[in-house]
Amino acid sequence: MHLIVQKYGGTSVANPDRIANVANRVAKGWRDGNKMVVVLSAMAGETDRLIKLARELSEDPDPRELDVLLATGEQVTVSLFSMFLRSQGVPATSLLSHQARIYTDRAYGRARIIGIDTARVKEELKKGRIVTVAGFQGVDEVGNITTLGRGGSDTTAVAIAAALKADLCEIYTDVDGVYTTDPRLHPKARKLARITYDEMLEMSSLGAKVLEIRSVGFAKRYAVPLAVRSSFSDQPGTLVTVEDEEMEDVPVSGVALSRNDSRVTITRVPDRPGIAVRLFRPVADANIVVDMIIQNTSIDGYTDLTFTVHRGDLKKTLEIVGPVAREIGAEQVLNDENIAKISIVGVGMKNNAGVAARMFEALSGENINILMISTSEIKISCVIEDKYGELAVRVLHDTFGLETPPPKKK
Ligand code: ASP
Ligand code: MG
């Protein structure tokens, strides 16, 4: 007997038929003797619909009231789900966040889970029931309803799995696992049997939308065994887990392309202490995340500074750094939106020399110019011209042989 937490995303509960379909799946796990906790998202499109509805009455909806509204989406699915199971003679109880005691801070719209009191969930499980928990929502210390941010049901599931010390947390979605790259970009993309938490974190931050990034961080911190599977098939999916030796032998596990960035260059910046902070402090204070930063070696006391920000933040960034650049006597501020970031990710990079060189060689073989480079222990990213994005994905995927699974050693 196992304690299993399963999470079903919006597309998996998009209509009554699909709800019945996944409920039957859960019932099967229960009949096999497992304890089942099910976290559900709202029906596909429902959260968007509610946000639109709110905007019809208020341009800038009050955050507290908006969360009260948005939390209803998940209330609908957990009740329908449990209702159906009961009609089939399977005992199930739905719990909203205050009943499942999922406590958060009061940051409406992006609340953080600070603790879960599992007593009620455990009590229901003990009675032999399937427990369905509304994802995405929480409750603050005085009982206000909060939400965790878009895609937050993944985090609900992982947090409950961690709190219950579940044997497995399965995230059911409309794709059947994590791939070496986006299959829409390269037909040779291969589903990974396993990926490490750290690799998954890098892939998620690079825009692989399979798992919400916060849930991966949570899973890593509490070592929650996590599986990504499709609710439309019986495929085993991808296991997100701690690294082992076999995984460390593979230098590159995935290739990711992100098209969300733009580049800002400030030329002829005086090279003296305090300049970087004057430029980047106001950017940070405006809550804009700066990704890569490159400062050239200075010549005659001047240097060029280049950095990337999210495309949606470009306008605001320019408004902020423009005046500062003038104040400090820099020459000009340039920007470029036609860029893409191509990255290779793999825990095995730590033990394999020459990975970066192979990447640069592959790109140069296609005459792709590298505009910026950044690295972490398990990732190398290059900024290139946007038009080469898909070509770069295919070339790197092929160069590192990602279409063939790594040999198993015994
Ligand atoms: N329903 C919420 C959303 O659409 C939460 C979730 O689906 O995970 O963002
Ligand atoms: Mg969703």
Side-chain angles (χ1 to χ4, degrees):
M1 188 185 74
H2 296 285
L3 173 51
I4 300 172
V5 176
Q6 295 187 336
K7 179 257 171 179
Y8 292 93
T11 49
S12 305
V13 291
N15 57 48
D17 278 349
R18 289 193 184 170
I19 291 178
N21 171 50
V22 290
N24 285 328
R25 203 180 255 265
V26 172
K28 186 179 175 302
W30 175 82
R31 286 196 186 96
D32 289 344
N34 299 302
K35 291 188 168 173
M36 307 291 292
V37 176
V38 182
V39 174
L40 299 179
S41 288
M43 290 175 162
E46 176 64 6
T47 310
D48 290 334
R49 188 187 74 85
L50 293 169
I51 292 172
K52 236 180 103 206
L53 195 58
R55 295 239 165 93
E56 279 178 35
L57 290 165
S58 162
E59 220 170 80
D60 187 16
D62 178 82
R64 181 187 182 280
E65 300 312 320
L66 186 61
D67 277 4
V68 174
L69 178 70
L70 296 189
T72 62
E74 275 70 11
Q75 177 161 354
V76 170
T77 47
V78 287
S79 64
L80 289 174
F81 196 91
S82 301
M83 200 183 285
F84 172 78
L85 283 174
R86 283 178 181 239
S87 76
Q88 305 297 106
V90 179
T93 304
S94 62
L95 297 179
L96 301 180
S97 54
H98 66 279
Q99 299 166 311
R101 297 175 200 157
I102 300 168
Y103 299 111
T104 71
D105 60 20
R106 200 175 294 169
Y108 296 118
R110 53 186 166 85
R112 281 178 183 280
I113 296 176
I114 51 185
I116 298 178
D117 170 0
T118 55
R120 175 74 191 273
V121 174
K122 282 183 178 153
E123 200 183 295
E124 298 291 338
L125 288 173
K126 220 167 162 186
K127 290 179 186 155
R129 294 178 184 152
I130 293 170
V131 184
T132 64
V133 179
F136 179 54
Q137 53 174 264
V139 67
D140 77 0
E141 56 179 351
V142 299
N144 291 303
I145 294 171
T146 58
T147 66
L148 308 182
R150 298 309 304 270
S153 302
D154 288 356
T155 298
T156 306
V158 174
I160 288 182
L164 289 170
K165 299 195 172 59
D167 297 298
L168 183 61
C169 180
E170 295 178 309
I171 307 284
Y172 284 89
T173 170
D174 46 8
V175 295
D176 60 356
V178 182
Y179 279 72
T180 49
T181 196
D182 186 338
R184 285 165 304 187
L185 298 179
H186 195 12
K188 288 185 186 161
R190 172 176 56 86
K191 189 174 71 189
L192 292 160
R194 290 184 305 164
I195 187 169
T196 70
Y197 295 118
D198 287 322
E199 288 170 332
M200 195 64 236
L201 278 171
E202 293 281 11
M203 298 285 269
S204 305
S205 74
L206 292 166
K209 288 195 200 68
V210 195
L211 287 172
E212 190 227 2
I213 188 159
R214 264 205 286 172
S215 69
V216 185
F218 229 103
K220 182 188 170 185
R221 183 142 33 105
Y222 297 100
V224 178
L226 194 62
V228 179
R229 305 181 60 181
S230 163
S231 58
F232 302 102
S233 83
D234 282 317
Q235 295 297 310
T238 301
L239 196 64
V240 188
T241 175
V242 289
E243 61 208 61
D244 61 24
E245 265 177 48
E246 225 167 74
M247 294 162 109
E248 286 172 357
D249 282 345
V250 184
V252 175
S253 306
V255 178
L257 179 70
S258 140
R259 290 194 144 125
N260 301 323
D261 304 297
S262 47
R263 181 166 65 133
V264 177
T265 301
I266 309 167
T267 61
R268 247 180 104 77
V269 179
D271 188 15
R272 51 168 203 268
I275 292 292
V277 67
R278 278 186 66 185
L279 281 165
F280 291 113
R281 167 57 60 201
V283 175
D285 288 346
N287 251 320
I288 295 169
V289 177
V290 175
D291 182 21
M292 296 186 189
I293 304 179
I294 291 179
Q295 181 183 324
N296 289 338
T297 325
S298 65
I299 299 168
D300 307 329
Y302 293 93
T303 179
D304 289 348
L305 242 167
T306 304
F307 60 94
T308 61
V309 292
H310 200 276
R311 226 167 262 184
D313 289 331
L314 178 63
K315 195 168 155 267
K316 208 161 150 200
T317 306
L318 295 174
E319 282 165 16
I320 293 170
V321 299
V324 183
R326 268 195 300 279
E327 277 167 36
I328 60 178
E331 192 178 54
Q332 54 178 337
V333 181
L334 309 168
N335 70 83
D336 185 359
E337 284 188 273
N338 297 317
I339 60 164
K341 184 169 70 177
I342 180 85
S343 309
I344 54 176
V345 174
V347 280
M349 260 178 222
K350 293 186 220 174
N351 322 322
N352 285 275
V355 177
R358 278 173 76 192
M359 178 181 194
F360 304 151
E361 194 171 40
L363 294 175
S364 88
E366 296 295 331
N367 252 316
I368 299 173
N369 191 25
I370 300 170
L371 307 172
M372 299 173 85
I373 302 167
S374 83
T375 64
S376 79
E377 222 182 3
I378 65 161
K379 178 190 75 175
I380 305 168
S381 298
C382 294
V383 170
I384 58 176
E385 269 182 81
D386 190 46
K387 62 178 178 194
Y388 295 124
E390 295 184 13
L391 174 63
V393 167
R394 293 194 297 270
V395 165
L396 293 173
H397 199 273
D398 296 351
T399 295
F400 290 100
L402 297 188
E403 76 271 29
T404 26
K408 278 236 175 315
K409 56 175 192 192
K410 280 277 130 61

